[in-house]
Amino acid sequence: MTNRPYHHGDLPTALLARAETTLREKGTSALSLRELAREIGVSPGAPSRHFKSKQALLDALALTGFERLAETIAASQEGAGETFADRLDAAARAYVGFAVANAALLDLMFSVKHSAQAPQALGASAHRWSDQLLELIGDGQRRGEVREGPLERIALPIVAALHGYAGLTVSGVLPPEAAEHGLDDMIAVILRGSAPQ
């Protein structure tokens, strides 16, 4: 009897794990339900019981990615300190770390999220991590550590800076000397821009 690479009855998890590996190594175009079935050793029709199409698989992959991102940011806050600066520093490092470690997945997450056909659950999950940042900023405002104003307006430059920095890091654009202290410098700029005036 052969050893299956997944626990019987947990085919969706096995498919998503293998799909994420393929996405990282070869990109979205290389994903195929038939090929994934072959790679994990199930019949070609087995994946369709869980994912009706390649798009359904991509949606599920994006959904799990957003859930993991939110969990990563939440975990960063445990023991991060109470000040806005400490909490933002931890969240920023968590976001950039996730983005660098999961570059292809992050690209997929943001492209699928904006699709008109995206499932409702994906939209809700996609907002969880940004809601965490809004909560962090709101708490900073209540403590007098963040300037007053609409949360969304204060959050936009923060999110744009984090996402942009992660993109520069992943693409290899940053020279080694900039990469060494770049995140520290970016966080310092964000904190100055968020400080009460």
Side-chain angles (χ1 to χ4, degrees):
M1 188 166 150
T2 60
N3 218 358
R4 297 266 186 214
Y6 71 97
H7 182 272
H8 184 69
D10 200 12
L11 183 56
T13 300
L15 287 166
L16 287 171
R18 185 66 209 154
E20 187 172 345
T21 300
T22 301
L23 176 70
R24 185 181 319 109
E25 294 172 355
K26 302 176 187 172
T28 309
S29 62
L31 280 173
S32 152
L33 290 173
R34 195 177 250 326
E35 184 62 21
L36 290 172
R38 187 190 66 72
E39 289 174 2
I40 63 174
V42 296
S43 71
S48 66
R49 286 184 228 128
H50 304 284
F51 304 107
K52 298 297 180 203
S53 65
K54 177 180 173 178
Q55 189 58 54
L57 174 72
L58 293 174
D59 290 346
L61 201 52
L63 177 66
T64 60
F66 278 117
E67 288 169 352
R68 281 180 20 217
L69 175 58
E71 289 165 8
T72 299
I73 292 175
S76 78
Q77 298 302 293
E78 295 171 16
E82 292 185 22
T83 68
F84 175 72
D86 289 341
R87 293 179 66 207
L88 178 73
D89 184 273
R93 291 179 194 288
Y95 179 84
V96 171
F98 179 90
V100 170
N102 301 282
L105 178 61
L106 195 73
D107 282 347
L108 172 69
M109 289 159 55
F110 283 105
S111 65
V112 168
K113 171 187 148 187
H114 295 296
S115 165
Q117 291 78 37
Q120 195 170 4
L122 178 58
S125 183
H127 289 290
R128 212 169 119 216
W129 75 274
S130 57
D131 288 346
Q132 290 168 311
L133 290 180
L134 290 174
E135 184 180 321
L136 193 154
I137 293 165
D139 186 56
Q141 285 179 320
R142 286 186 289 280
R143 296 168 58 99
E145 298 171 324
V146 175
R147 65 184 168 86
E148 293 180 9
L151 293 178
E152 291 80 7
R153 288 194 61 192
I154 296 169
L156 178 60
I158 294 172
V159 172
L162 293 175
H163 198 64
Y165 183 83
L168 291 172
T169 303
V170 168
S171 68
V173 170
L174 293 179
E177 62 276 6
E180 184 179 349
H181 300 290
L183 187 53
D184 295 337
D185 295 340
M186 188 195 66
I187 292 169
V189 167
I190 290 172
L191 289 171
R192 281 196 299 273
S194 305
Q197 296 164 342

